[in-house]
Amino acid sequence: PTAHGSSAPAASINELIDRAQPGDTITVPAGTYNEHLVIEKPITLEGEGWPVIDAGGKGDVVRVNATNVTIRGFVIQGSSTDVSDEPAGIRVTANESRIEGNRIQNVLYGIELQDSGGHIVRNNAISSIVHFGSERRGHGIYLWHTSDNLVVDNTIESVKDGFFVGFSTRNTIEHNRVTRSRYGIHYMYSDGNEFHNNTFRDNIAGGVLMYSVGI
């Protein structure tokens, strides 16, 4: 992998993140990178040729703890399967990320937006651990205490709920597809949200709206 404006190689993506300055773009070529990523500065990560980030069955695969982070063009796989930790392919805990054009697979939860807001999650393909039953899997896109997000054009299959929205407001979820899961979308204690033009097919239920108003 190389940082924008530099041809210096790195042994790992984390090494390049450490070298990068805020606002840099890091381009990562095809290959398999066996590591967890922790991002704590505003950067853009772009994959070329679908590089694979594999956490080897431990923890989250990618954790974003900084504002204004973009991640696009990766295969992200191999989270832990420990339900109590809710491990994810990508966990975002800071504002204004863009997660787009990734393939997230063989993870318990797909993308978690947590205690933050202003994100765009677009055009990702997400699945959980296929050989688990739906109750044992995690959600495809999990919104928890998060607001003002746009979630659009994602394809989700073989998860628990395609979308789980808990204690979250002013989120727009549109033009997504959820198949072979428990619920297409599941709201809990989440007011003032909208979802439209989504396709929910071959699930136990389509939309489950619980303890929420203004949907």
Side-chain angles (χ1 to χ4, degrees), residues 15 34 36 45 77 87 93 113-114 143 150 167 171-172 198:
E15 183 180 328
N34 295 306
H36 303 265
L45 279 181
Q77 64 187 35
T93 64
L113 307 178
Q114 173 184 336
L143 290 80
L150 175 63
F167 300 97
N171 299 289
T172 299
N198 300 284

Side-chain angles (χ1 to χ4, degrees), residues 109-180:
Y109 289 75
I111 298 170
E112 295 188 24
L113 307 178
Q114 173 184 336
D115 299 314
S116 57
H119 307 296
I120 297 173
V121 180
R122 184 192 307 272
N123 195 31
N124 300 282
I126 300 170
S127 60
S128 184
I129 299 171
V130 175
H131 64 270
F132 285 176
S134 63
E135 293 293 333
R136 177 67 175 80
R137 300 170 188 151
H139 307 306
I141 298 178
Y142 186 11
L143 290 80
W144 184 256
H145 286 279
T146 181
S147 59
D148 302 300
N149 302 299
L150 175 63
V151 184
V152 59
D153 291 330
N154 299 281
T155 300
I156 301 170
E157 64 178 33
S158 301
V159 298
K160 190 172 191 175
D161 297 340
F163 303 94
F164 184 96
V165 186
F167 300 97
S168 298
T169 59
R170 301 186 306 278
N171 299 289
T172 299
I173 297 174
E174 60 185 359
H175 298 291
N176 303 281
R177 178 181 175 86
V178 180
T179 58
R180 294 192 294 277

Side-chain angles (χ1 to χ4, degrees), residues 29-79:
T32 298
Y33 300 85
N34 295 306
E35 56 186 318
H36 303 265
L37 300 190
V38 180
I39 302 173
E40 297 189 336
K41 61 185 74 170
I43 58 171
T44 295
L45 279 181
E46 292 189 343
E48 287 188 340
W50 296 107
V52 176
I53 306 170
D54 191 323
K58 297 179 180 179
D60 300 322
V61 185
V62 179
R63 188 173 184 115
V64 177
N65 298 332
T67 59
N68 294 307
V69 170
T70 297
I71 301 172
R72 66 168 65 95
F74 291 88
V75 177
I76 295 170
Q77 64 187 35
S79 77

